[in-house]
C-alpha cells in the first residue's frame, strides 16, 4: 500500500484586495479531493492547507488558484504576479509590456517586491484605459451622428468588460457563480441589450475605479504590517578572526559577535558583552526613553544604538528574533477569526443568493402581474444585482482586525487574533498577579532579624538554600548575601516546596527557608515571633523564616515595590467601568498594604491552584482578563477569558497566553482594552456602512430613483469607505485615555523597564 503523502502546505497568493477575493481562493481549493483545513489570510497574502498529495498534487492547487485570477508561489519563493488579473489585451495600453517581463531568476527568493505605483498596476491600467475609451465615446457625440456614437459606447463597454467576464466564467467553472464579476458582466451585458450602452460604459469605468481603490486601501494596510520586518537591518558587522566583516543579518548564527556602531540598528537579539550605551527600543516596544545597556544586558533586533559602540553576542537566529516573532504573531493572528467575522461570513453566503432571487422576482413579477414594461424592470434588476455584492460586508471585520493588530504591535500590545480582540473588548474584570506584574518582581532585603547567632550566619544559611534560585525572593536573598561578601555553603538534597519555600541539607542538618505558613505547619512559631512577623507584614513586607531542624534561626523581610504606573492603571480601568483584583500568594497583611496603595481589591495567600479557582469564580458571572508573568500563572491565564503575559520581548510574553504587553507598563492593560473596544466600535461602524448603504439603494433602485451607475458606486464605494474607516485604527493611540482615533503622539516617558522574573510551574512560589 502506498504511503500517504500528507502534510501542511503554504503558499503566498497575490492579487487579493478584499474578503471576497480571499473567499474565491478558498472556494477554488477547498473542493479539491484531499484538501482540508484551508486557511486564507487576506492581509498576509497566505494560503495554508493540509494536503494529501496522493489525491491532489501541489501543482493542481496552484493551477486552481491561477485559474481564478490570482498569483501563487510556494512559501519562500519570489511572489508571482497575478496573471489572471484585470488587464487590457496586450498592447491596448502603454506600459503593459514592461510589467509582464519575466523576473530575473537571480532575484528569486524571499525579498519583498517594491509596491508599484497605482498606474503601473493592471487595475490602474484598466482604469486609465476604460476612462480613455469612455472619454473618446463622449467626444465622438460632438462630431459624429448619435447612431455612430452609440457604437462607440458599445465598443468601450465590450473592451472594458472582457477581462471582468473572463474572471467571472473562471469563477463559475470553479463552482462560484455568485461573484461581483459575474454580476458586473450580467449588468453590463443586460444594459447593452436594453439599449443603454452609455450607462453600461460608465458602470464598467466606475467598477474599475472601485477595484483600484480597494487595491490601494488593502496595500496600505499590508504596508503597515510589513514595515515591522524592515526594522531589522539587512547587514551586520561580524567579528571573525580578529577582523570585522559585513554579512547578511539573515545568516547570523547564535554565538557570533557583532559590532553595533552609534546610530545603527541592532541586527539581532543578543547580549551586550562590551560597551555601555543608550539604546532606543521605541521601534520594538514603543518606549520613547533610551534604555542604558551595559555588559550582560539584553538587546532586541530593530532597536537603535544611540551613543557608543557595542559588542553584542547573538542569542537568537534571525527567524527567531523579536521582530520576526512579532511579525509572525501578527500574521498568524489574522487566522484567528472573531466570532463576528465568522457570523458575517456565514451570513454573506446566504445573503447574495437571496438578493439574486429577489432581483429575479423584481424582473418578472411587475411585467407579468401588473403589465409593466419589461425594459424598465430588467434595468432595475440589473442595478439590484450590482448592489447585492457583499464585498463591503465581508471585509468590514478583517480590515478592522488587521489594522488593530498592526497598531497594537507598534505599541507593544500583542493580541492573537480577532477572537482575542472581541473578548478583550467585553472585559468587565481584570485580575492581576502581584509579583512581576503590579510590582517590579525584584524585591530586596529590608530587614534581618536574628534569633540565634548573627546576621551573617543567618544570611549564609538562607543564601545556601536559595543558591541558584530563579524565584525573585530567593534571588534577592542571594544578592544581599553577595553584597555582604558572605560565602554560601555546599548543600545536598535541595528541593522546592511549591508555594511555601525551599529546603536543603547543610552538614547533615536540614535547613528550610519558607513562609510563616510553612513554619506554622511545622509548629515553629510562638506568640512573640508571631507578633514580630505581623509587625513586618503590616509594613507591606514579605517575611521568610529560616529554620534549622525546624528551629527558628531568624527572620528576613523583603519588599517588592509597586510599579510607578500601577495605581494609574487601576484608576484608568475604573474609569473604563472595569473592576480590578490582585491575586497573590503573599500574606494578607502584605497584600493589603500594597492593595490599599493601588486602590485595588486583593485576594491573598493563594496557591497556584487557588488562583485558578478564583479566576473560575470570577468568570462565572463576568468577563475576565488575567495579567500574569507568562509561565508561573499559566493555569490562571488559561482559565481567564483573555490571558495576557508581561515581559519585554521574551519568548514567554510572545508565545504564552492570548496576548502580551512588551513594555512592562501596567497602564498598557487599559490601553489594550481601549484598543479592543475601539476596534469593535469600528467594526460596528463598518457593518452599518455596508448594510446601510445597500438597504438605502435597494429601496431607491426598486422605486426607480437610482440606476446602474449609482448601484456600482453603492457597492464599490461602500467597500472603499469600510476599508478607509478601518485604516483609521492605524492612528489610534492606546496610551491616550482621551483621544480615540487621531495622529500618533509621543509616548509618556517611563523608566519602569525591569523584566518580570520567570520560573517554571514546577518551581515553588513564595508570593
Amino acid at each position: 500500500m502506498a504511503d500517504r503523502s500528507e502534510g501542511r502546505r503554504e503558499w503566498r497568493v497575490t492579487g487579493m484586495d478584499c474578503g471576497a477575493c480571499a473567499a474565491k481562493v478558498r472556494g477554488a481549493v477547498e473542493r479539491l479531493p484531499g484538501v482540508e483545513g484551508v486557511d486564507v489570510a487576506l492581509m498576509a497574502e497566505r494560503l495554508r492547507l493540509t494536503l494529501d498529495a496522493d489525491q491532489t498534487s501541489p501543482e493542481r492547487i496552484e493551477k486552481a488558484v491561477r485559474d481564478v485570477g490570482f498569483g501563487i508561489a510556494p512559501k519562500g519563493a519570489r511572489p508571482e504576479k497575478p496573471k489572471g488579473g484585470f488587464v487590457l489585451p496586450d498592447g491596448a495600453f502603454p506600459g503593459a509590456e514592461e510589467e509582464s517581463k519575466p523576473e530575473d531568476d537571480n532575484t528569486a527568493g524571499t525579498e519583498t517586491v517594491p509596491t508599484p505605483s497605482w498606474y503601473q498596476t493592471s487595475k490602474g491600467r484598466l482604469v486609465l484605459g476604460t476612462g480613455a475609451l469612455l472619454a473618446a465615446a463622449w467626444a465622438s457625440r460632438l462630431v459624429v451622428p448619435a447612431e455612430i456614437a452609440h457604437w462607440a459606447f458599445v465598443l468601450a463597454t465590450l473592451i472594458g468588460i472582457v477581462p471582468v467576464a473572463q474572471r467571472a466564467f473562471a469563477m463559475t467553472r470553479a463552482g462560484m457563480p455568485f461573484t461581483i464579476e459575474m454580476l458586473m458582466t450580467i449588468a453590463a451585458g443586460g444594459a447593452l441589450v436594453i439599449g443603454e450602452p452609455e450607462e453600461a460604459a460608465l458602470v464598467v469605468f466606475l467598477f474599475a475605479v472601485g477595484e483600484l481603490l480597494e487595491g490601494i486601501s488593502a496595500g496600505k494596510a499590508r504596508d503597515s504590517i510589513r514595515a515591522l520586518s524592515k526594522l531589522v537591518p539587512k547587514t551586520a558587522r561580524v567579528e571573525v578572526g580578529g577582523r570585522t566583516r559585513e554579512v547578511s543579518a539573515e545568516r547570523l548564527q547564535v554565538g557570533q559577535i557583532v559590532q553595533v556602531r552609534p546610530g545603527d540598528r541592532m541586527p539581532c537579539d543578543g547580549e551586550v558583552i562590551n560597551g555601555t550605551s543608550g539604546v532606543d527600543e521605541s521601534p520594538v516596544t514603543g518606549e520613547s526613553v533610551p534604555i542604558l545597556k551595559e555588559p550582560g544586558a539584553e538587546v532586541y533586533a530593530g532597536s537603535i544604538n544611540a551613543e557608543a559602540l557595542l559588542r553584542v553576542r547573538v542569542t537568537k537566529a534571525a527567524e527567531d528574533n523579536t521582530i520576526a516573532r512579532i511579525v509572525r504573531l501578527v500574521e498568524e493572528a489574522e487566522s484567528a477569526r472573531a466570532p463576528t467575522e465568522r457570523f458575517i461570513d456565514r451570513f454573506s453566503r446566504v445573503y447574495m443568493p437571496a438578493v439574486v432571487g429577489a432581483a429575479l422576482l423584481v424582473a418578472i413579477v411587475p411585467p407579468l402581474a401588473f403589465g409593466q414594461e419589461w425594459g424598465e424592470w430588467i434595468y432595475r434588476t440589473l442595478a439590484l444585482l450590482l448592489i447585492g455584492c457583499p464585498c463591503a460586508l465581508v471585509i468590514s471585520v478583517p480590515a478592522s482586525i488587521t489594522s488593530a493588530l498592526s497598531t497594537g504591535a507598534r505599541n507593544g500590545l500583542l493580541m492573537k487574533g480577532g477572537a482575542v480582540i472581541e473578548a478583550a473588548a467585553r472585559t468587565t474584570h481584570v485580575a492581576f498577579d502581584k509579583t512581576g506584574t503590579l510590582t517590579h518582581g525584584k524585591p530586596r532585603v529590608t530587614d534581618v532579624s536574628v534569633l540565634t547567632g548573627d546576621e551573617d550566619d543567618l544570611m549564609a544559611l538562607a543564601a545556601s538554600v536559595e543558591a541558584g534560585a530563579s524565584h525573585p525572593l530567593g534571588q534577592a536573598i542571594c544578592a544581599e548575601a553577595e553584597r555582604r561578601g558572605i560565602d554560601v555553603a555546599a548543600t545536598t538534597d535541595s528541593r522546592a516546596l511549591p508555594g511555601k519555600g525551599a529546603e536543603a541539607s547543610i552538614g547533615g542538618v536540614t535547613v528550610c527557608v519558607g513562609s510563616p505558613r510553612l513554619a506554622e505547619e511545622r509548629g515553629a512559631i510562638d506568640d512573640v515571633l508571631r507578633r514580630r512577623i505581623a509587625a513586618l507584614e503590616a509594613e507591606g513586607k514579605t517575611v521568610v523564616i529560616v529554620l534549622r531542624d525546624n528551629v527558628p534561626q531568624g527572620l528576613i523581610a523583603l519588599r517588592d515595590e509597586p510599579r510607578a504606573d500601577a495605581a494609574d492603571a487601576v484608576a484608568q480601568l475604573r474609569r473604563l467601568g472595569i473592576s480590578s483584583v490582585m491575586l497573590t500568594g503573599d500574606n494578607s497583611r502584605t497584600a493589603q498594604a500594597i492593595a490599599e496603595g493601588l486602590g485595588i481589591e486583593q485576594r491573598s495567600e493563594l496557591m497556584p491552584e487557588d488562583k485558578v479557582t478564583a479566576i473560575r469564580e470570577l468568570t462565572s458571572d463576568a468577563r475576565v482578563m488575567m495579567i500574569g508573568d507568562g509561565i508561573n500563572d499559566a493555569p490562571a491565564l488559561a482559565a481567564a477569558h483573555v490571558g495576557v503575559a508581561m515581559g519585554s520581548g521574551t519568548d514567554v510574553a510572545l508565545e504564552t497566553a492570548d496576548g502580551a504587553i512588551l513594555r512592562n507598563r501596567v497602564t498598557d492593560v487599559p490601553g489594550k482594552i481601549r484598543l479592543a473596544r475601539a476596534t469593535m466600535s469600528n467594526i460596528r461602524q463598518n457593518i452599518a456602512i455596508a448594510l446601510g448603504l445597500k438597504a438605502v439603494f435597494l429601496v431607491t433602485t426598486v422605486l426607480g430613483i437610482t440606476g446602474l451607475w449609482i448601484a456600482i458606486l453603492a457597492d464599490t464605494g461602500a467597500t472603499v469607505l469600510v476599508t478607509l474607516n478601518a485604516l483609521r485604527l492605524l492612528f489610534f493611540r492606546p496610551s491616550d485615555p482621551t483621544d480615540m482615533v487621531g495622529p500618533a503622539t509621543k509616548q509618556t516617558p517611563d523608566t519602569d523597564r525591569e523584566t518580570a522574573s520567570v520560573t517554571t510551574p514546577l518551581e515553588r512560589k513564595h508570593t
Side-chain angles (χ1 to χ4, degrees), residues 431 583 603 610-620 624-626 636-637 639-641:
L583 306 180
R603 298 188 186 184
D610 296 329
K611 290 186 178 182
V612 175
T613 301
I615 291 295
R616 287 175 177 166
E617 290 175 359
L618 288 172
T619 56
S620 63
V624 180
M625 176 183 288
M626 172 68 188
L637 292 171
H641 292 107

Side-chain angles (χ1 to χ4, degrees), residues 125-407:
R125 292 199 306 273
L126 181 64
V127 168
L128 296 175
T130 54
L133 292 170
L134 182 61
W138 273 329
S140 68
R141 298 178 61 179
L142 303 176
V143 294
V144 299
E147 293 79 5
I148 299 178
H150 169 91
W151 290 105
F153 284 108
V154 172
L155 181 63
T157 301
L158 292 176
I159 293 177
I161 202 64
V162 164
V164 181
Q166 288 175 339
R167 179 176 284 191
F169 289 116
M171 298 302 299
T172 301
R173 287 195 298 272
M176 292 173 283
F178 297 109
T179 62
I180 183 58
E181 290 82 11
M182 179 59 74
L183 300 183
M184 264 299 306
T185 302
I186 294 173
L192 291 179
V193 170
I194 63 175
E196 298 287 349
E198 183 174 351
E199 192 157 6
L202 179 59
V203 166
V204 171
F205 171 70
L206 291 176
F207 175 75
V209 171
E211 289 287 307
L212 175 63
L213 292 177
E214 287 179 11
I216 293 174
S217 298
K220 294 293 184 184
R222 288 193 182 106
D223 289 344
S224 67
I225 296 176
R226 290 175 181 168
L228 291 171
S229 61
K230 296 178 182 178
L231 293 175
V232 181
K234 298 293 183 184
T235 60
R237 293 166 53 85
V238 179
E239 294 182 2
V240 180
R243 303 180 61 184
T244 302
R245 64 188 182 92
E246 207 167 79
V247 302
S248 171
E250 294 182 351
R251 298 180 181 177
L252 289 176
Q253 298 179 0
V254 175
Q256 288 185 314
I257 307 300
V258 299
Q259 292 184 1
V260 186
R261 298 169 297 188
D264 287 352
R265 290 184 183 270
M266 297 290 171
C268 61
D269 280 11
E271 177 185 354
V272 176
I273 61 172
N274 187 261
T276 301
S277 178
V279 174
D280 178 8
E281 295 182 341
S282 59
V284 183
T285 67
E287 174 59 66
S288 61
V289 178
I291 308 302
L292 183 65
K293 298 294 183 179
E294 298 175 313
E298 290 185 351
V299 292
Y300 309 120
S303 57
I304 303 169
N305 182 18
E307 298 167 357
L309 179 71
L310 292 176
R311 295 177 66 237
V312 177
R313 179 184 292 109
V314 180
T315 57
K316 291 178 182 175
E319 62 270 18
D320 292 323
N321 68 40
T322 301
I323 294 296
R325 284 181 288 133
I326 290 175
V327 172
R328 188 161 60 245
L329 177 64
V330 173
E331 291 183 344
E332 293 292 334
E334 190 184 347
S335 299
R337 300 197 297 169
T340 301
E341 181 180 357
R342 292 195 294 267
F343 169 76
I344 288 178
D345 190 33
R346 294 192 300 268
F347 173 75
S348 64
R349 296 179 185 178
V350 178
Y351 165 80
M352 197 167 180
V355 169
V356 172
L360 290 176
L361 293 177
V362 169
I364 62 176
V365 171
L368 293 178
F370 305 104
Q372 302 289 320
E373 293 186 6
W374 282 96
E376 174 64 24
W377 287 97
I378 289 176
Y379 177 85
R380 297 183 187 184
T381 297
L382 298 176
L384 282 177
L385 290 176
L386 294 180
I387 294 172
C389 179
C391 287
L393 185 62
V394 171
I395 202 174
S396 59
V397 178
S400 298
I401 294 296
T402 302
S403 295
L405 293 173
S406 177
T407 296

Side-chain angles (χ1 to χ4, degrees), residues 590-674:
T590 300
Q592 187 62 32
I594 293 177
E596 287 179 354
L598 300 179
I600 188 175
E601 296 181 6
Q602 60 87 15
R603 298 188 186 184
S604 55
E605 301 182 9
L606 300 178
M607 299 290 285
E609 57 270 23
D610 296 329
K611 290 186 178 182
V612 175
T613 301
I615 291 295
R616 287 175 177 166
E617 290 175 359
L618 288 172
T619 56
S620 63
D621 58 358
R623 304 293 299 184
V624 180
M625 176 183 288
M626 172 68 188
I627 315 296
D629 62 15
I631 284 185
N632 287 11
D633 301 298
L637 292 171
H641 292 107
V642 181
V644 177
M646 300 282 283
S648 298
T650 64
D651 290 336
V652 171
L654 293 176
E655 296 168 9
T656 302
D658 303 307
I661 294 175
L662 299 186
R663 295 183 295 193
N664 272 347
R665 288 182 181 174
V666 189
T667 49
D668 278 347
V669 175
K672 183 185 285 283
I673 294 174
R674 278 193 293 269

Side-chain angles (χ1 to χ4, degrees), residues 269-600:
D269 280 11
E271 177 185 354
V272 176
I273 61 172
N274 187 261
T276 301
S277 178
V279 174
D280 178 8
E281 295 182 341
S282 59
V284 183
T285 67
E287 174 59 66
S288 61
V289 178
I291 308 302
L292 183 65
K293 298 294 183 179
E294 298 175 313
E298 290 185 351
V299 292
Y300 309 120
S303 57
I304 303 169
N305 182 18
E307 298 167 357
L309 179 71
L310 292 176
R311 295 177 66 237
V312 177
R313 179 184 292 109
V314 180
T315 57
K316 291 178 182 175
E319 62 270 18
D320 292 323
N321 68 40
T322 301
I323 294 296
R325 284 181 288 133
I326 290 175
V327 172
R328 188 161 60 245
L329 177 64
V330 173
E331 291 183 344
E332 293 292 334
E334 190 184 347
S335 299
R337 300 197 297 169
T340 301
E341 181 180 357
R342 292 195 294 267
F343 169 76
I344 288 178
D345 190 33
R346 294 192 300 268
F347 173 75
S348 64
R349 296 179 185 178
V350 178
Y351 165 80
M352 197 167 180
V355 169
V356 172
L360 290 176
L361 293 177
V362 169
I364 62 176
V365 171
L368 293 178
F370 305 104
Q372 302 289 320
E373 293 186 6
W374 282 96
E376 174 64 24
W377 287 97
I378 289 176
Y379 177 85
R380 297 183 187 184
T381 297
L382 298 176
L384 282 177
L385 290 176
L386 294 180
I387 294 172
C389 179
C391 287
L393 185 62
V394 171
I395 202 174
S396 59
V397 178
S400 298
I401 294 296
T402 302
S403 295
L405 293 173
S406 177
T407 296
R410 291 201 315 272
N411 288 275
L413 308 174
L414 302 184
M415 290 181 279
K416 296 184 177 180
V420 175
I421 291 177
E422 189 164 333
R426 299 202 303 269
T427 297
T428 60
H429 289 67
V430 173
F432 290 96
D433 175 44
K434 180 178 77 70
T435 305
T437 302
L438 288 175
T439 63
H440 291 281
K442 292 188 176 180
R444 62 182 181 86
V445 174
T446 59
D447 301 89
V448 179
S449 181
V450 179
L451 300 177
T452 302
D454 58 25
E455 290 188 1
D456 285 355
D457 291 338
L458 183 66
M459 290 301 302
L461 285 175
S464 298
V465 174
E466 295 285 8
S470 58
H471 190 274
L473 294 182
Q475 290 177 343
I477 291 172
C478 292
E480 179 65 15
E482 183 178 354
R483 187 187 68 80
R484 296 185 181 209
I486 298 173
D487 295 328
V488 298
T491 63
T492 58
D493 299 326
S494 299
R495 69 188 185 99
L497 305 174
K500 298 177 181 179
E503 67 179 12
S505 179
I506 302 177
V509 177
T510 300
V511 178
C512 175
V513 180
S515 65
R517 179 171 50 187
L518 176 63
E520 287 275 14
E521 291 175 358
R522 298 188 176 187
I525 296 183
D526 56 22
D527 291 339
V528 175
L529 190 56
R530 195 174 289 113
R531 285 194 296 270
R532 294 176 68 174
I533 293 172
L536 291 169
E537 290 179 344
E539 298 173 7
K541 298 173 182 177
T542 299
V543 179
V544 297
I545 301 179
V546 181
L547 303 175
R548 185 172 181 174
D549 280 341
N550 290 333
V551 176
Q553 304 297 301
L555 308 177
I556 300 176
L558 306 95
R559 181 160 51 201
D560 183 12
E561 296 294 334
R563 296 181 184 274
D565 65 339
D568 184 28
V570 173
Q572 289 187 33
L573 288 171
R574 190 180 301 113
R575 289 194 292 270
L576 290 172
I578 296 173
S579 300
S580 303
V581 61
M582 180 179 73
L583 306 180
T584 178
D586 221 334
N587 64 82
S588 59
R589 294 187 185 92
T590 300
Q592 187 62 32
I594 293 177
E596 287 179 354
L598 300 179
I600 188 175

Side-chain angles (χ1 to χ4, degrees), residues 17-33:
D17 295 330
C18 66
C21 295
K24 292 170 185 174
V25 173
R26 186 182 301 111
V29 300
E30 65 184 2
R31 293 177 173 83
L32 298 176

